[in-house]
Amino acid sequence: MTTVDDVSRPSRIAAPDEAISAEELQLATRNHGIPLEALRYDVTPAGLHYLLIHYDIPDVDPAAHTLTVDGAVDRPLRLDLAALRERPRVTHRVTLECAGNGRALLSPRPVSQPWLVEAVGNAEWTGTPLAPLLREAGFSPDAVDVVFTGADHGVERGVEQDYQRALPVADALREEVLLAYEMNGAPLLPQHGAPLRLIVPGWYGMAHVKWLRNIRVLTEPFDGYQNAVAYRLRRDADDPGVPVTRIEPRALVRPPGFPDFMSRTRVLRPGPCTVDGRAWSGHAPVTAVEVTTDGGASWTPARLDEPSGGRWAWLRWHLDWFPEPGRYVLGARATDASGRRQPVEQPWNRGGFANNLVQRVEVVVLAG
C-alpha cells in the first residue's frame, strides 16, 4: 500500500562538497529573498519582501473566509473578514526573518530551502490585536498553548498536515500580536497569507501563520509537527532540541557599488563611500553595529540612525569609508540591549536555524 512515506523523505545533512540539489533549486524558485539593494527602503515593497511557502498557496475566497476561535474557551467565536475589520484597527511596522536564513552557508549544509542571507523584510502590517479576541472568548485559566492553523496543507517528513504553529499563552496575549489583513496599506497578497495572517513581532517567520482559519486554545502543550519536530535547535537526529522562537540579532550590509553578474562581487571606484545597511533583533533593541572591511580582522563602530518604525522594525546604520584600490571583504555585526551579538563563527545546528553568522560582501575597488 502506498503511503505518504513514499513521497516524503527524512531530513539529512549534505555530504562534504555536495552541490545544491534539483529539489533544493525547486524550493528556491518557489521562495525568494529580498534583493539586498532593497535594504535602502525603510518599508520593504511587498514584491521585494522575502517569501517562504511551506506547501501550496491555498485557493481562499476572502468573501467566504471565516476565522474560528475554539478549544478551552467559554465562548467559541466565528468571525468573517468584515467582522474582523470592524474591530479596533492598528498598524505595526515589523521585521520578519525566516528561521532558516543563512542555512546554505553552513558546513556541513542541512538540506532544505537554501537560504543565503536575504530571507528578511520589513513591512507595515495592519489588522486587529489578537489579545482582546482571546479575552472575549474567555480562555481557560488552565490554558497553556494557543494553536494557529492555516489553510495550506501538505506532507513534511512523512507527516500529512495543515500548517500549524502554537504560541505559549503569555506570548499570544502580547498586545502587539496581530491578526493582519493588510500589508503596506493594501489587502494581503495571496502569497503573503490573504485574506488573514498572524503577525508575532520579534519571532522568526514560522510563527506568523498565513491563511489563518482557526485559533484553538489548549490546556496542554501543543505536540504538532511544526512545534515538536520542526523548528528546533538540535545537534543531531536524536537530540530533542529546544524550540526556535525569537530572532537573533543581525546586521546586513547593503552592497555598495555595482555587481558582477555571476559572482555578485561588488565593484567600486576610489573615493568616499557610505557603507550602510539594516540591523534588528527580536530579543531587545539594537544598541550597536560594527563594520569590518577586512573580513573580520578589525571592526569599526557604525552610526545608528534614529529609529523610524517602532520597536519591531529594523533600523538603518551607516559608516563613512575611504577605500584605496584593492580587494576587501565587508561585513557588519549587531549587538542588542540583552548583550547578544552576532558571531563570527557559525552557530551550527541540524536544521540550519537561527544562523546569524556575519555576512561577507566581497568588494573590488578599481585603480583609478
Side-chain angles (χ1 to χ4, degrees), residues 69-115:
V69 182
D70 57 23
V73 298
D74 296 331
R75 294 170 293 279
L77 303 175
R78 186 180 184 89
L79 303 98
D80 60 15
L81 197 60
L84 289 167
R85 285 181 171 274
E86 291 174 356
R87 299 178 70 88
R89 172 187 172 96
V90 298
T91 298
H92 295 314
R93 192 176 295 184
V94 179
T95 298
L96 268 60
E97 181 179 10
C98 184
N101 201 16
R103 176 186 291 123
L105 299 172
L106 292 176
S107 180
R109 189 185 83 252
V111 176
S112 186
Q113 165 65 31
W115 290 124

Side-chain angles (χ1 to χ4, degrees), residues 81-360:
L81 197 60
L84 289 167
R85 285 181 171 274
E86 291 174 356
R87 299 178 70 88
R89 172 187 172 96
V90 298
T91 298
H92 295 314
R93 192 176 295 184
V94 179
T95 298
L96 268 60
E97 181 179 10
C98 184
N101 201 16
R103 176 186 291 123
L105 299 172
L106 292 176
S107 180
R109 189 185 83 252
V111 176
S112 186
Q113 165 65 31
W115 290 124
L116 297 173
V117 297
E118 295 91 347
V120 67
N122 187 63
E124 291 186 339
W125 304 96
T126 298
T128 192
L130 170 66
L133 198 69
L134 292 176
R135 288 193 286 264
E136 182 178 319
F139 60 91
S140 168
D142 297 325
V144 173
D145 278 349
V146 182
V147 182
F148 303 88
T149 301
D152 47 331
H153 185 87
V155 181
E156 198 163 346
R157 310 305 184 197
V159 179
E160 184 177 352
Q161 59 190 285
D162 292 335
Y163 186 84
Q164 293 181 303
R165 276 286 304 188
L167 291 174
V169 168
D171 288 291
L173 290 174
R174 289 166 48 205
E175 293 301 324
E176 61 268 24
V177 176
L178 285 184
L179 303 173
Y181 42 75
E182 290 182 7
M183 176 184 187
N184 294 349
L188 289 174
L189 295 170
Q191 66 271 32
H192 284 294
L196 188 69
R197 71 174 297 169
L198 187 66
I199 296 292
V200 188
W203 282 51
Y204 280 112
M206 77 283 154
H208 304 243
V209 177
K210 293 182 283 190
W211 310 293
L212 184 63
R213 63 177 181 80
N214 176 258
I215 299 171
R216 177 159 294 172
V217 179
L218 301 183
T219 55
E220 66 280 336
F222 177 60
D223 62 358
Y225 179 88
Q226 301 296 339
N227 271 64
V229 181
Y231 294 109
R232 299 185 74 84
L233 301 173
R234 48 169 59 96
R235 300 297 300 177
D236 56 57
D238 296 325
D239 179 6
V242 296
V244 177
T245 56
R246 289 180 177 269
I247 299 172
E248 296 298 318
R250 188 192 288 275
L252 287 182
V253 176
R254 181 170 67 95
F258 52 92
D260 171 70
F261 173 71
M262 283 296 296
S263 70
R264 308 309 294 179
T265 297
R266 308 302 295 190
V267 180
L268 278 176
R269 306 196 189 281
C273 172
T274 298
V275 180
D276 70 351
R278 303 284 172 169
W280 61 93
S281 172
H283 292 277
V286 171
T287 56
V289 172
E290 302 163 279
V291 177
T292 181
T293 60
D294 52 19
S298 63
W299 297 89
T300 302
R303 292 190 294 276
L304 304 183
D305 287 10
E306 288 296 321
S308 61
R311 161 67 186 93
W312 304 109
W314 64 23
L315 57 78
R316 180 178 177 268
W317 56 265
H318 64 281
L319 176 73
D320 295 330
W321 185 38
F322 303 90
E324 299 292 332
R327 289 182 173 269
Y328 301 85
V329 177
L330 275 57
R333 65 182 180 188
T335 301
D336 69 18
S338 74
R340 292 174 171 85
R341 184 169 71 173
Q342 281 183 261
V344 294
E345 296 183 0
Q346 66 173 19
W348 194 89
N349 62 83
R350 184 176 173 83
F353 298 125
N355 173 29
N356 60 337
L357 180 69
V358 170
Q359 172 195 20
R360 293 173 61 88

